[in-house]
Amino acid sequence: MNNYKDEQRLIFRDTIQDNLIGPGSDVFLSDNEQEIISNYPLSRYYSGILFPEREVKKDDSIGKNDNTNANAEQLDGNEEEVFKDNIDDGNDIDDKKEYAKPKPVDITKEYSEANQYFPTNFGLSFCVPKGTKSVNITFSFAKYIQLNPIQAKIEIQKDEYEKFINNPVNPIKDYLVYENGYMFFNKETFSESGLTVYTLKERFKQQEEQKELLYSSAYNKVDKLLGRLWKRVKQEPLKIPLELSDNNVNESKELSLVEDKESNKIITCYYKKIYETSYGKFVKILMANRESQPKKEFSFSNERLNQKALFQCEVSVNGTTFLPYKQLLESNPFDDELNTINFQYREEYSYGIGHGCAVQWDNDTNPKELKTTFLPEVDIKNYSNEFKDDFPENLKEITQLKKLSIWTDLDKKDIIEKLKLFVNEYQKWIVKQKETKANSNYQKSLDTIIDNQEKTYRRLVSNIEYLNSSDVAYKSFLIANTAMYIQMLISNKELFGKKEVELSDINNDIDYNDIDFFKDHTFNPEYRPFQLAFFLLNIESTIETESDERNKIVDLLWFPTGGGKTEAYLALTAYTIASRRILYKEKSDGVSVIMRYTLRLLTAQQFERATKLILSLDFLRKQFTDNDDFYFGNNQVSIGMWVGASSTPNYYKDAYKVYDN
């Protein structure tokens, strides 16, 4: 039983499981194993399903033939190309002997995996030690059969039932029974009445004007009982001891799981493939639905199709020790990025891959059981974007926004010196990364990572030097950080309230238009290290149009939600606007920054945050005249949003009409 009180996120996970895969999506019974649903199973569930194979008759016209294997993964395992050194034995392996030479594979022998839209099979591949003789495979699934309403029951509170049954205008109260928390139809009374379900339903619907009945919980439950019902029939799990002595067995041979008693035809089967390397035995298991259904009757509301489909399918493996499974070569001559990823995650072992599904295991270091899953999940490790414990305390103040603003109590020399010491801590970290050991497969990837880190360090140093030498850059830097400070202050919910307030509710004793209010405020926000580093990386390239970094490099911020990406690019936004106006003065009109979002909801939220920065910038601009050091123009700093004609006008003439109205 899941402890939802301690881990409320599990409520969402299990709700998704219940409604997309099942069972558990309806209210008839608490016992999901005996589930009853009021809809076609194929209309209710969307995953974990094995469809019957689609028949294409000979007289079907050209163009209608359906290639059910169009999206098949013929050789997705690459089992023969797995490195021998997946086992961490501490020994490097000679480059020429890192994996067993692949043998030619006859594709016609490989059982093709089915079309992704109507999968007929699914399974997993895994690896076990070479000496393993056998493993235990368990195949689980359920089917659904149509249920006569007279055979169904639904859970209900006794007081709800009695209130419903005692209503004097209830036309069907004589046909209902309550027992042990369930309401169902009285079979004897129903049979003696000569009524059909249809006529009973018509009689029931005639009372829809009786609101006391209509809006009751019992009414809705009776309505469900009178609907189209399907009952889940869980099949007894099929446990198969799988012998692993058949190396390179004919993988197109179907191995029976369930046979039709009348025709002796195999209707559920599995396929196996075993490939032995010097590393271990790779085993591929596919479970398949071998029933068939005419293509023209392949509708989710077709009763026969619903009866033939298999639901909540699962394959589990135990009874052995599992070795880490590598799906792809760890040294790929055509994909350096893949090599880097394999190196970075070299200590994160995967013990299986899914075919048409995912695989989960019960332990990350020594799993005893593998299972297929159609709802893969993983616990994301905690991350930190704060300073490391060994970061010098005396340097942390350089990330305070006020120390980098027009109100700083540090002189320019101190700021530049502290920024250099700040990035030197990054250089010290790079030196530690060089101590990382890598075998011959990974050395190139390690060298590439270190080289990129050193390039980033050199860029940081170069940009700080530019900040020191360029008056425009330095002024723009201080202005941008000041605007960011104001933006963070007015965005702080603890200081300015957790919800919007009317102008009449604002404290009139505080002059929010006085810049000294912000200058003297005790609020003291800090940049996170990566935010300040991202800002520093782009100091020169934002101003110098011919900069190589501007024209040849794209910096990508890749960080989890809530890590602070928005503040990082907003700071650069403010710097761009300020420097452009200082440099080009009256010729700086036009769009300075374009921000593009992929989700409408994200657009609205990010637009609000960007607007606060733009307002802060414009407020700051108004405080200076052309005789002041931090003057950056007379023209208003503004922001606009375009999300399509359904939300905002596409043309000025349309906007004027909206404005006039």
Side-chain angles (χ1 to χ4, degrees), residues 475-493:
K475 285 183 181 180
S476 303
F477 183 69
L478 298 182
I479 291 170
N481 291 320
T482 308
M484 285 296 294
Y485 175 87
I486 296 173
Q487 180 266 141
M488 288 184 181
L489 178 56
I490 63 177
S491 299
N492 188 287
K493 293 181 180 179

Side-chain angles (χ1 to χ4, degrees), residues 528 530-531 557-570:
R528 291 163 182 169
F530 86 91
Q531 293 171 335
L557 272 179
W558 191 91
F559 222 81
T561 301
K565 297 185 295 294
T566 301
E567 282 73 20
Y569 78 74
L570 285 182

